[in-house]
């Protein structure tokens, strides 16, 4: 499907423009270089002293280098978008795109780091080896269940924040959407019957986040392609060995009161919420199933490019609120609402990690932002061009890190809000100046606006 | 940790139906580590084996019962090794606890009580059989003071 939207061939346009610009990001100096003599400050001999100090006290590397604001966007290319295992070179354009968004929305310098370490322990070793270069790590597009192990271990071994956006990013924004959706239908998220359809990175992370948010595990039915995760499922022991994350969910939720072997049709009967992060639709979730859900049903169909069920179909079947992963439909569950602000916040307080509580703080801030603007069924999540959101997410996360004793620097909400705003504003100003000066050429081929 | 309400006792005829399911699960679980462990997957066959063991003085079957339900099973045989000083040896053939009741010390109790029962029948040592690559079982038994004792290698017969 040529870029899929119909009117514009995004694939063709994207290839031409990627080639024309030769990628999307570059490094630009941020210090004054007035004359050659200045290099004696930035390079030899002067640089020897910052080097000596950082060598003696590694923490000072955050003072003298860009490390404080630089993260790596790391992928082995084993599960890129919906394209599957296309390798590190295949992952590169996506990682560079992520880096672009980090910079533009969060003022965070992000470096693509694609590599050949497919073995999870080798992957972890690589992260440990390059840790001194970065203030944080964004993991991306790694196959499941390997990604769970890598994230868990990396969080333990590294002293800088590690984030896997396909898990935590999607889960955080979904939680934000759910917080507002239940408000609109007058329900309590902690009492709702929730079905997570699909047991990949996003929904397994969402399960953990919901639990941390206070939803009792027995209220959550998690389904994979074989049905509900249940302690009496035939392959339960196999899961214990091969997929301990699914196993743990089966044990904790006890299958949410369903019988072992129950499928989506049974699970959705009477459910208040379904979050699908599974196979592209349409028809992955059937209208008849949604029709059996409780009154005021909430349907999140997050598969791309085609949601598990089209919003109008879900609505016809009685759903009160529908969200998808698409930017051309209302209520887009978009990771970009969370990750730039989250890293802005943790970098600014030099947090040691990103906890579930910090992810929840981000989700609550995103939800609050939309609520302040006025919730309605087609607006439960902010849109990407609501620029005031990102510094607010940064502030909420930074304050939570300080509260939890995980920040090396202290701050207040107001202080971080101002700092994040000024860093992000400066990025925009610099960029717009370069662009307006014509130093970034206008695109030779383009789409029509609107 | 002792889970209150879990009773470990010798299996009796009325337990056979439920216990047989756990016996089958022990094998389907271990199949995960080596196809040579794949079982016939017949509950009837498992029932037969259990009934035979109930009537066999050189076999012991213990069950863990919780709220009227069989949640764990251990079966051991007393094996004569005429040339070993430690003979007879009690060999734990199967040990299984259902997933939702794990991490509560039930398997440990099954092993300890089995050790007691075998000792009272003259066993000088207790051995346990499980697939070579089952690290979960390995670390479980090592924690209980077991050590690697003998290796059994296998290959399918040719032609």
């Amino acid at each position: 499907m040529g870029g899929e939207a119909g009117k514009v061939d995004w694939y063709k346009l994207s290839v031409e423009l990627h080639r024309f610009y030769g990628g999307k990001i570059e490094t630009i100096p941020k210090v004054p270089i007035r004359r050659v003599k200045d290099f004696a400050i930035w390079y030899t001999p002067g640089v020897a002293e910052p080097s000596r100090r950082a060598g003696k006290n590694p923490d000072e590397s955050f003072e003298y280098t860009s490390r404080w604001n630089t993260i790596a966007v790391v992928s082995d290319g084993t599960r890129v978008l919906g394209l599957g295992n296309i390798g590190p070179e295949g992952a590169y354009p996506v990682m560079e795109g992520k880096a672009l968004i980090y910079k533009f929305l969060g003022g965070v310098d992000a470096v693509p780091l694609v590599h050949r370490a497919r073995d999870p322990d080798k992957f972890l070793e690589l992260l440990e080896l390059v840790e001194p270069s970065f203030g944080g790590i964004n993991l991306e597009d790694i196959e499941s269940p390997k990604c769970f192990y890598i994230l868990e271990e990396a969080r333990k071994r590294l002293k800088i924040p590690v984030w896997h956006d396909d898990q935590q990013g999607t889960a955080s924004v979904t939680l934000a959407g759910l917080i507002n959706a239940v408000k609109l239908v007058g329900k309590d998220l902690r009492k709702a019957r929730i079905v997570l359809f699909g047991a990949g990175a996003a929904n397994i992370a969402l399960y953990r986040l919901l639990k941390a948010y206070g939803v009792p595990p027995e209220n959550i039915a998690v389904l994979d392609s074989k049905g509900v995760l249940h302690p009496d499922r035939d392959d339960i022991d196999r899961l214990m060995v091969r997929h301990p994350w699914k196993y743990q969910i089966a044990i904790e939720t006890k299958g949410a009161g369903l019988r072992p072997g129950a499928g989506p049709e049974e699970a959705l009967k009477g459910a208040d919420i379904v979050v699908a992060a599974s196979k592209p639709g349409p028809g992955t979730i059937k209208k008849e199933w949604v029709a059996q859900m409780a009154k005021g049903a909430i349907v999140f169909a997050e598969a791309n490019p085609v949601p598990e069920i089209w919003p109008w179909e879900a609505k016809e079947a009685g759903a009160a609120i529908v969200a998808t992963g698409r930017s051309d439909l209302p209520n887009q569950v978009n990771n970009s609402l969370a990750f730039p602000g989250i890293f802005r916040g943790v970098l600014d307080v030099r947090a040691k990690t990103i906890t579930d509580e910090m992810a929840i703080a981000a989700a609550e801030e995103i939800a609050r932002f939309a609520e302040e603007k006025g919730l309605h069924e087609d607006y439960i999540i902010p849109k990407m061009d609501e620029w005031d959101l990102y510094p607010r997410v940064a502030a909420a996360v930074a304050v939570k890190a300080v509260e939890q004793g995980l920040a090396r620097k202290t701050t207040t909400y107001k202080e971080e809000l101002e700092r994040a705003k000024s860093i992000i504003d400066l990025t925009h100003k610099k960029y717009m100046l370069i662009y307006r000066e014509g130093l970034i050429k206008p695109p030779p081929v383009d789409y029509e606006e609107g | 940790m002792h889970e209150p309400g879990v009773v470990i006792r010798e299996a009796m005829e009325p337990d056979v139906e439920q216990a047989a399911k756990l016996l089958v699960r022990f094998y389907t679980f271990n199949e995960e580590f080596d196809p040579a462990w794949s079982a016939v997957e017949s509950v009837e066959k498992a029932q037969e084996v259990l009934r035979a063991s109930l009537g066999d003085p050189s076999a012991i079957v213990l069950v863990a019962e919780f709220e009227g339900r069989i949640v764990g099973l251990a079966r051991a045989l007393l094996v004569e090794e005429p040339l070993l000083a430690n003979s007879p040896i009690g060999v734990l053939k199967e040990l299984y606890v259902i997933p939702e009741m794990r991490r509560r010390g039930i398997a440990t109790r099954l092993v300890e009580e089995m050790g007691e029962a075998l000792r009272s029948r003259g066993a000088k040592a207790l051995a346990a059989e499980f697939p070579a690559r089952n690290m979960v079982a390995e670390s479980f038994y090592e924690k209980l003071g077991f050590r690697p004792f003998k290796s059994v290698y296998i290959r399918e017969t040719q032609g």
Side-chain angles (χ1 to χ4, degrees), chain B residues 13-59:
Chain B
E13 172 55 36
D15 301 323
V16 166
E17 202 175 311
Q18 278 190 61
K21 286 184 192 146
L22 304 197
L23 197 62
V24 172
R25 277 212 194 174
F26 170 83
Y27 287 95
T28 47
F29 177 23
N30 283 323
E31 187 183 339
E32 196 52 36
F33 303 98
D34 192 309
W37 281 84
S38 63
V40 289
E41 271 207 51
S42 151
V43 180
E44 292 75 35
K45 190 79 198 163
Q47 290 180 359
E48 261 175 52
V49 168
L50 278 176
R51 284 205 179 88
S53 290
L54 292 187
D56 179 354
S58 67

Side-chain angles (χ1 to χ4, degrees), chain A residues 86 203 309 325:
Chain A
I86 58 168
N203 266 351
I309 180 168

Side-chain angles (χ1 to χ4, degrees), chain A residues 211-231:
Chain A
K211 208 174 73 172
Y213 188 71
V215 178
E218 304 81 30
N219 291 6
I220 310 171
V222 183
L223 279 74
D224 68 4
S225 57
K226 290 185 185 136
V228 66
L229 296 177
H230 193 292

